[in-house]
């Protein structure tokens, strides 16, 4: 059949075709697959766009836009994966994911017992035959196609409001129902909405309207999905390289003007776009399309863009990944993103919740590699940028008058290409930016920080020359955001980071022949019911366990809702439990469903793509009862507890759920963790959203809601949080962080809405029986000692208060802001003016040596500072002296080099600062020694 001739009318024939075709939605790809392919079994309930019903055929040179758009127009909010096999999909217009309905003028539908009338250019139907019941009344028949059965819909109609709006309706020949909702005598025409549970079927559906009163007038009918903002919709490619959405070169809009949309755009709107995703594909905006965007994405509460590449050629492309078209995007995880070309690679803006990024490559942008603005909170690791333009701009660049964003940026490299030698790699006009382990080779300056304007209420650090930024924050804590991090005990070093990060293990994908699902193992239960079918509220635990014990390496749950009222154990050969965006939930709230990660089985196991919302029954609890390494990916309703003393590592990526416990020696790495439980309620199982009982917990992107302690760290535990945003009001007296004989580091702590009198930001810290309370200000808060810094990072920290000073030194807490600790030291340079640092070296070997001072950017007049300060390092191989310009370099940690030292305390200072004798000012703010193996 010529796919361009397929009839897409809402009729029974098209529905019958759909019903037949959806029985086998997706098969393994016909071409040779690779280890990077994402594939699903044919019975997983995944929508394959190349099914003949949809008429999408890649690689044939024929425009696929209308056929693809059609799929998103008829899909319902049902956690559906829309799968695009490898190939090029030719696009000529914007594909829009938005709230859709089936609409028809009443006079265009089949009717009997109604009369057609026209009045003032309005045509409508008038009921002539209204009997004692619907079977005797006039009838209007409305037919449409649907993909998913049993969805809640909204039935709307337009009718004169002086009538009662009372009628009968039935769906698919079922029971007649009666609507009776008046409109309070309003005499104007209006649309009335009736919420109905319409039991749709896959394929063709029929709604019949029967009048209760003769004279009842009906203008039009619409059936729309209740609450459908294209939530639960996943655009899934076969792999990043081979599944390509290609915009036509020199594309135009419908009016002939140059194309100015996005290749794919989600509807902008409220924060209700749950569980959306774009995965494993390329979006290519072609040539000659300078205003084209790649993807305008929208997602909340466990949404992701993963393994997606954006490509623009020549002068094409405005924005690759646009996350500023809606104020409500997030929380969401963006992982393994690549953008080549475009004016701007990534545009983030506005803030309802935060966005977390892990692994971003940006190349050859024309204006900025990344723009962040309008109070947008972004928490980022692993950027690799190759550009001649600024790599990151935190500003109101594209939305005039908007506020600026809050940024955490770690473990990233901004490579300056030719032309970048006069450009700043990172430009900050915003109120908050934290950098760690960032390199900027080839750029003129690493950081330009222009947050000095008086209306912002604080003075930040000025910037960094580069090319390496070890750790830097745009402003500090304390009065007027003066210096360093918030800390409650004097021996706390002014360094935020504690723990080293770790990436999730890469688990090899199984061949489809090694997959098994519970539907393949129907089991007769003692009740006489059968386990192993979705959407029937019968315990599927026995069938899921049978699939686990079948010898399969991957157990999958086809799309639908699976009931678990019992306990299952991941064991045998299973290394992956995956849902085709399926749900798994108890049949009642009294059920106690459990999924145990037991002792036996592969060392690493992945649990992913499951929706465990507890709206209709108990959420399953994942009990970690072994040393096995567990990765949770894309989970809604994560309920996790370890049940052994030293459980294995845990990786958590893009999840939302309730309170979580981590235990004894466990190592945890989370990226985009969203916990919304109110842990102050009387029946709360834990007294904090995260209880870290002796574990090491690293979190990039922590979003929370509702009252309760965010993190409680006890019994020697260590918690590091890189980016925390609380998305709604926090009005009670509960502290945000509680630390008891443990360690904590948190940077960029945000609450968009703060009530009058709110205690948000309170921290409580206990050491050796002494408890202190404070309030977070500035970039963040640290609760650990110098000994802890050596224990976890093999690092020694000395503030200027630890130096032996000779000459006429003073301490300053005045401008510029951004020094570490309580102050910094300065002196008028004379021949006998020195600052000597002599730490006790803990371990013989090589150490990186960093020094820090206050420089001359940001509008402060420090022209009297020396440009020839000398740092002398005494090490095992002798001594070396470095001359540094304390005007040019500013406010970061400056690496002098790598040197060998003996364990213990040296007879001579290891680092000494002296002036050149020119009478100018020298400053000293601290020294750090970091041990290295080689």
């Amino acid at each position: 059949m010529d796919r361009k001739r397929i009839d897409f009318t809402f009729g029974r024939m098209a529905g019958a075709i759909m019903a037949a075709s959806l029985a086998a939605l997706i098969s393994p790809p016909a071409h040779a697959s690779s280890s990077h392919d994402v594939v699903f079994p044919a019975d997983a309930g995944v929508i394959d766009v190349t099914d003949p019903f949809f008429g999408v055929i890649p690689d044939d040179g024929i425009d696929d836009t209308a056929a693809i758009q059609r799929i998103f127009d008829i899909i319902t909010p049902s956690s559906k994966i829309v799968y695009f096999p490898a190939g090029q999909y030719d696009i000529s217009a914007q594909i829009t994911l938005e709230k859709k309905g089936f609409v028809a003028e009443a006079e265009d539908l089949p009717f009997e017992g109604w009369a057609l009338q026209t009045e003032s250019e309005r045509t409508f139907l008038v009921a002539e035959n209204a009997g004692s019941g619907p079977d005797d009344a006039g009838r209007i028949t409305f037919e449409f196609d649907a993909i998913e059965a049993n969805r809640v819909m909204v039935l709307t109609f337009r009718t004169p409001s002086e009538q009662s709006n009372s009628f009968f309706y039935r769906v698919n020949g079922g029971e007649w129902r009666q609507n009776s909702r008046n409109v309070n005598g309003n005499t104007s025409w209006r649309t009335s909405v009736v919420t109905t549970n319409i039991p749709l079927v896959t394929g063709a559906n029929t709604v019949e309207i029967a009048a209760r009163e003769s004279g009842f007038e009906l203008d039009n009918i619409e059936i729309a999905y209740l609450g459908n903002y294209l939530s639960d919709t996943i655009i899934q490619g076969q792999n990043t390289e081979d599944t390509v959405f290609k915009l036509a070169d020199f594309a135009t809009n419908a009016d002939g003007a140059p194309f100015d949309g996005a290749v794919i755009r989600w509807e902008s709107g409220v924060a209700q776009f749950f569980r959306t995703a774009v995965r494993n594909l390329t979006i290519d905006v072609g040539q000659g399309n300078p205003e084209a965007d790649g993807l305008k994405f929208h997602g909340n509460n466990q949404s992701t863009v993963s393994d997606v590449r954006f490509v623009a050629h020549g002068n094409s492309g405005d924005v690759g990944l646009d996350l500023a078209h809606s104020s409500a995007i997030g929380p969401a995880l963006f992982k393994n993103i690549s953008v080549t070309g475009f004016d701007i690679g990534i545009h983030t803006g506005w803030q309802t919740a935060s966005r977390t990024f892990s692994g971003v490559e940006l190349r050859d942008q024309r204006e900025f590699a990344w723009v962040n603005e309008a109070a947008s909170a972004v928490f980022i690791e692993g950027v690799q940028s190759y550009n001649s333009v600024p790599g990151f701009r935190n500003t109101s660049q594209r939305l005039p008058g908007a506020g600026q964003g809050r940024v955490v940026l770690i473990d990233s490299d901004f490579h300056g290409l030719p032309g970048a030698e006069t450009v700043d790699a990172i430009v900050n006009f915003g109120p908050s930016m934290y950098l760690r382990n960032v390199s900027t080779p080839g750029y003129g300056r690493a950081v330009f920080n222009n947050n000095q304007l008086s209306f912002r209420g604080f003075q930040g650090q000025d910037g960094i020359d580069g090319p390496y930024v070890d750790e830097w924050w745009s402003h500090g804590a304390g009065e007027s955001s003066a210096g360093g991090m918030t800390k409650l005990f004097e021996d706390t070093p002014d360094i935020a980071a504690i723990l080293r990060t770790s990436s999730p293990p890469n688990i090899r994908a199984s061949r489809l022949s090694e997959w098994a699902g519970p539907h393949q193992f129907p089991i007769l239960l003692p009740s006489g019911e059968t386990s192993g079918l979705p959407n029937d509220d019968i315990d599927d635990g026995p069938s899921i366990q049978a699939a686990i014990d079948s010898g399969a390496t991957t157990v999958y749950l086809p799309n639908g809702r699976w009931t678990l009222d019992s306990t299952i154990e991941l064991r045998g050969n299973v290394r992956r439990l995956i849902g085709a965006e399926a749900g798994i939930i108890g049949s009642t709230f009294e059920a106690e469903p459990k999924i145990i990660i037991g002792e036996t089985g592969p060392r690493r196991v992945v649990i992913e793509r499951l929706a465990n919302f507890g709206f209709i029954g108990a959420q399953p609890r994942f009990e970690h009862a072994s040393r096995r390494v567990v990765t949770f990916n894309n989970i809604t309703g994560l309920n996790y507890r370890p049940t052994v003393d030293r459980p294995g590592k845990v990786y958590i990526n893009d999840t939302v759920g309730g309170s979580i416990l981590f235990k004894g020696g466990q190592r945890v790495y989370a990226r985009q963790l969203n916990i919304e439980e109110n842990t102050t309620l009387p029946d709360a199982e834990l007294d904090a959203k995260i209880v870290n009982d002796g574990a090491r917990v690293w979190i990039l992107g922590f979003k929370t809601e509702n009252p309760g302690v965010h993190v409680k760290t006890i019994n020697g535990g260590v918690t590091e949080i890189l980016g925390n945003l609380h998305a709604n009001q926090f009005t009670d007296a509960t502290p945000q962080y509680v630390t008891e004989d443990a360690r904590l580091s948190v940077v960029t702590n945000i609450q968009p809405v703060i009530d009058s009198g709110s205690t948000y930001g309170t921290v409580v810290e206990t050491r050796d029986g002494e408890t202190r309370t404070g309030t977070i200000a500035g970039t963040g808060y640290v609760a650990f000692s110098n000994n802890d810094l050596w224990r976890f990072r093999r690092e020694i920290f000395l503030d200027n208060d630890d130096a032996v000073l000779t000459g006429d030194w003073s301490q300053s807490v005045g401008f510029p802001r951004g020094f570490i600790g309580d102050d910094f030291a300065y002196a008028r340079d004379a021949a006998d003016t020195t600052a000597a640092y002599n730490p006790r070296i803990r371990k013989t070997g090589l150490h990186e040596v960093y020094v820090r001072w206050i420089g001359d950017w940001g509008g402060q007049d420090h022209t009297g500072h020396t440009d020839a300060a000398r740092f002398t390092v005494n090490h095992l191989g002798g001594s070396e002296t470095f001359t540094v310009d304390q005007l040019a370099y500013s406010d970061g940690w400056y690496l002098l080099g790598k040197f060998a030292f003996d364990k213990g305390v040296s007879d001579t200072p290891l680092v000494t600062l002296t002036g050149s004798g020119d009478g100018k000012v020298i400053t000293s703010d601290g020294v750090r020694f970091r041990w290295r193996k080689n």
Side-chain angles (χ1 to χ4, degrees):
M1 179 184 293
D2 182 352
R3 66 188 172 111
K4 302 310 170 189
R5 295 176 180 268
I6 287 182
D7 182 6
F8 286 127
T9 57
F10 300 144
R12 287 189 178 277
M13 182 173 293
I17 295 172
M18 174 184 283
S21 63
L22 292 182
L25 281 169
I26 180 169
S27 300
H31 66 83
S33 62
S34 73
S35 60
H36 301 292
D37 282 342
V38 178
V39 295
F40 293 89
D43 57 1
V46 175
I47 298 173
D48 186 342
V49 301
T50 62
D51 181 281
F53 173 77
F54 299 116
V56 180
I57 303 175
D59 294 327
D60 65 351
I62 299 176
D63 187 7
D64 297 295
T65 309
I68 293 173
Q69 184 65 63
R70 175 68 179 153
I71 297 170
F72 295 115
D73 287 349
I74 66 175
I75 193 171
T76 66
S78 56
S79 298
K80 281 293 188 184
I81 298 172
V82 181
Y83 183 80
F84 290 81
Q88 178 172 305
Y89 298 85
D90 295 306
I91 307 300
S92 62
Q94 177 172 278
I95 295 171
T96 305
L97 282 74
E98 60 185 341
K99 187 173 182 177
K100 285 289 185 179
F102 308 108
V103 185
E105 295 298 317
E107 65 269 21
D108 295 332
L109 297 172
F111 63 89
E112 57 181 349
W114 295 71
L116 186 64
Q117 292 189 15
T118 300
E119 191 177 278
S120 302
E121 299 183 353
R122 178 181 64 84
T123 302
F124 55 96
L125 291 174
V126 179
E128 292 184 324
N129 183 18
S132 58
D135 290 325
D136 302 323
R139 197 80 50 84
I140 299 175
T141 304
F142 181 51
E143 295 183 337
F144 62 96
D145 293 332
I147 289 177
E148 177 70 10
N150 299 317
R151 302 308 300 169
V152 176
M153 309 286 280
V154 173
L155 174 64
T156 70
F157 56 94
R158 190 162 185 242
T159 186
S161 58
E162 67 270 16
Q163 297 189 9
S164 66
N165 288 1
S166 179
F167 58 88
F168 300 105
Y169 67 94
R170 69 177 177 180
V171 182
N172 296 328
E175 179 183 354
W176 283 103
R177 307 180 187 190
Q178 178 179 328
N179 168 64
S180 56
R181 175 177 174 179
N182 62 44
V183 287
N184 301 320
N186 189 333
T187 59
S188 64
W189 279 78
R190 58 171 287 174
T191 298
S192 182
V193 179
V194 180
T195 301
T196 62
N197 292 314
I198 300 182
L200 301 182
V201 298
T202 298
N205 287 263
T206 301
V207 173
E208 297 171 273
I209 302 292
R212 293 183 63 219
E213 304 173 42
S214 295
F216 181 82
E217 300 175 9
L218 192 61
D219 192 47
N220 59 34
I221 296 176
E222 176 182 1
I223 294 181
Y225 305 124
L226 179 64
N228 172 26
Y229 293 95
L230 265 295
S231 298
D232 308 290
T233 301
I234 288 78
I235 300 176
Q236 175 71 66
Q238 183 173 321
N239 66 58
T240 306
E241 294 75 22
D242 299 328
T243 301
V244 181
F245 284 68
K246 170 63 169 64
L247 181 64
D249 296 339
F250 303 97
T252 60
N253 296 329
D255 60 1
F259 180 89
D260 60 358
V263 177
I264 301 175
R265 174 176 179 140
W266 251 264
E267 177 184 4
S268 302
V270 297
Q272 300 295 317
F273 290 69
F274 297 157
R275 293 180 60 77
T276 61
V278 179
R279 303 173 181 271
N280 305 91
L281 53 83
T282 290
I283 296 177
D284 185 337
V285 300
Q287 301 186 56
N289 300 310
E291 299 301 316
D293 296 329
L295 170 65
K296 290 182 180 291
F297 180 74
H298 197 339
N300 313 105
N301 277 18
Q302 200 269 284
S303 291
T304 189
V305 176
S306 175
D307 299 282
V308 175
R309 181 176 62 174
F310 302 91
V311 179
H313 306 274
N315 71 335
S316 268
D318 184 22
V319 178
L321 175 59
D322 184 356
L323 302 174
H325 70 99
S326 173
S327 63
I329 302 171
L333 176 65
F334 302 86
K335 184 178 70 171
N336 299 338
I337 305 299
S338 170
V339 187
T340 300
F342 296 89
D343 289 341
I344 294 173
I346 297 176
H347 185 196
T348 44
W350 304 106
Q351 173 187 288
T352 293
S354 55
R355 305 101 189 253
T356 301
F357 294 79
S358 179
V360 176
E361 183 180 278
L362 302 167
R363 291 181 180 270
D364 302 327
Q365 278 73 55
R366 295 185 293 271
E367 295 181 12
F368 304 101
W370 192 321
V371 170
N372 186 61
E373 60 183 338
S376 172
V378 291
F379 311 135
I380 310 163
E381 68 169 345
V383 174
Q384 293 292 317
S385 174
Y386 302 85
N387 276 288
S388 299
V389 299
F392 196 99
R393 185 176 178 90
N394 193 30
T395 177
S396 56
Q397 173 66 25
R398 287 224 157 182
L399 300 174
Q404 289 74 39
R406 280 72 76 90
V407 179
V408 172
L409 175 62
I410 67 169
D411 300 337
S412 297
D413 301 301
F414 293 84
H415 304 271
L417 302 182
E421 56 273 5
T422 60
V423 174
D424 301 320
I426 298 170
V427 179
N428 182 49
F429 290 87
S432 176
M433 175 175 275
Y434 173 82
L435 306 181
R436 186 180 81 197
N437 189 27
V438 175
S439 69
T440 61
Y443 278 97
R445 182 166 50 184
V447 180
F448 173 67
N449 187 43
N450 189 25
N451 60 2
Q452 304 293 313
L453 300 180
S454 59
F455 73 85
R456 293 199 178 99
F458 62 83
Q459 302 290 325
Q461 296 186 63
D462 302 330
I464 302 179
D465 241 8
Y468 177 68
V469 182
D470 183 70
E471 186 178 32
W472 177 85
W473 52 92
S474 59
H475 66 287
E479 185 177 355
S480 298
S481 298
M485 312 292 289
T486 299
K487 53 185 184 178
L488 302 184
F489 286 81
E490 291 75 14
D491 65 342
T492 302
D494 228 319
I495 298 172
I498 306 175
L499 297 173
R500 296 185 184 276
T501 184
S502 176
S503 298
N506 185 16
I507 297 179
R508 179 178 59 86
S510 304
R511 294 185 296 271
L512 288 179
S513 60
E514 299 176 2
W515 289 42
H519 57 299
Q520 299 166 349
F521 299 89
I523 294 176
L524 185 64
L525 303 177
S527 63
E529 299 169 315
T530 300
S531 170
L533 295 175
N535 305 318
D536 61 3
D537 294 325
I538 298 171
D539 184 17
D540 297 304
S543 295
I544 299 174
Q545 190 66 62
I548 292 171
D549 295 338
S550 68
T553 58
T554 296
V555 170
Y556 70 106
L557 302 181
N559 188 261
R561 189 183 73 251
W562 296 83
T563 303
L564 182 63
D565 288 341
S566 51
T567 297
I568 60 173
E569 181 177 353
L570 293 180
R571 58 196 182 197
N573 296 329
V574 174
R575 59 173 178 254
R576 174 174 271 110
L577 173 63
I578 182 171
E581 304 305 329
I584 184 168
I585 203 74
S587 62
T588 67
F589 289 106
E590 289 70 35
E592 296 183 355
K594 293 181 182 179
I595 301 174
I596 297 176
I597 299 96
E599 290 284 356
T600 63
R603 182 170 178 267
R604 298 179 179 90
V605 61
V606 176
I607 302 169
E608 58 186 342
R609 298 173 79 150
L610 294 171
N612 307 320
F613 271 127
F615 295 151
I616 59 174
Q619 294 177 342
R621 171 165 294 185
F622 296 95
E623 293 193 350
H624 200 169
S626 66
R627 295 282 294 164
R628 297 167 69 188
V629 178
V630 181
T631 300
F632 294 101
N633 290 329
N634 316 117
I635 303 290
T636 299
L638 180 63
N639 181 1
Y640 170 86
R641 297 288 187 273
T643 58
V644 294
D645 290 337
R646 293 185 62 84
K649 288 182 184 178
V650 177
Y651 295 86
I652 301 174
N653 304 294
D654 181 30
T655 67
V656 57
S659 59
I660 296 178
L661 170 68
F662 301 115
K663 289 181 63 175
Q666 189 175 31
R667 293 176 183 255
V668 180
Y669 305 94
R671 291 165 172 87
Q672 188 47 59
L673 176 61
N674 178 17
I675 297 180
E676 301 185 358
E677 182 175 348
N678 181 351
T679 56
T680 66
L681 297 176
D683 60 349
E685 186 176 352
L686 297 176
D687 58 358
K689 301 177 190 298
I690 294 177
V691 174
N692 176 359
D693 185 0
R696 297 187 183 186
V697 179
W698 180 93
I699 303 172
L700 175 70
F702 183 36
K703 178 262 180 183
T704 62
E705 293 185 24
N706 298 311
V709 175
H710 286 190
V711 179
K712 182 177 182 179
T713 311
I714 59 176
N715 293 331
V718 186
T719 303
E720 181 179 7
I721 300 173
L722 294 156
N724 183 8
L725 181 142
H726 191 90
N728 59 12
Q729 296 174 344
F730 192 94
T731 57
D732 62 9
T734 304
Q736 197 177 356
Y737 303 102
V738 174
T739 309
E740 299 174 359
D741 293 317
R743 296 114 182 134
L744 173 69
S745 168
V746 56
V747 294
T748 308
N749 196 69
I750 305 164
Q751 187 194 29
V753 180
I754 301 178
D755 283 355
S756 176
S758 170
T759 60
Y760 182 81
T762 300
V763 292
V764 177
E765 183 178 349
T766 300
R767 291 193 194 177
D768 299 322
E770 181 182 358
T771 298
R772 299 184 183 181
T773 301
T775 302
I776 297 178
T779 296
Y781 164 61
V782 288
F784 58 94
S785 69
N786 223 330
N787 287 334
D788 296 324
L789 189 64
W790 172 259
R791 175 182 173 188
F792 293 106
R793 292 185 58 185
R794 292 294 186 264
E795 194 164 333
I796 302 167
F797 170 91
L798 291 87
D799 196 5
N800 56 278
D801 295 335
D802 300 311
V804 176
L805 305 175
T806 60
D808 188 15
W809 287 85
S810 299
Q811 278 69 44
S812 175
V813 295
F815 295 140
R817 305 303 190 187
F819 49 83
I820 59 173
D822 298 324
D823 52 33
F824 66 96
Y826 69 97
R828 184 69 60 181
D829 180 16
D832 61 347
T833 303
T834 63
Y837 294 87
N838 197 26
R840 180 173 66 87
I841 297 298
R842 309 289 189 92
K843 188 178 182 69
T844 297
L846 292 174
H847 292 67
E848 293 172 348
V849 176
Y850 296 84
V851 294
R852 184 183 173 94
W853 63 87
I854 301 301
D856 185 44
W857 291 337
Q860 306 304 322
D861 183 10
H862 301 139
T863 54
H865 290 202
T866 183
D867 60 359
R870 293 174 296 170
F871 285 94
T872 300
V873 180
N874 294 309
H875 53 91
L876 288 180
S879 67
E880 295 183 48
T881 297
F882 303 85
T883 300
V884 300
D885 183 353
Q886 290 198 335
L887 286 169
Y889 189 87
S890 176
D891 302 347
W893 287 103
Y894 183 89
L895 177 64
L896 296 179
K898 189 183 296 185
F899 311 94
F901 301 101
D902 264 338
K903 181 180 180 179
V905 178
S906 172
D907 293 335
T908 58
L910 299 186
V911 176
T912 301
L913 167 64
T914 60
S916 62
D918 58 8
K920 293 187 176 181
V921 173
I922 58 174
T923 67
S924 185
D925 195 25
V927 175
R928 287 166 61 189
F929 292 74
R930 180 182 294 169
W931 181 79
R932 285 289 183 252
K933 288 183 179 180
N934 49 50

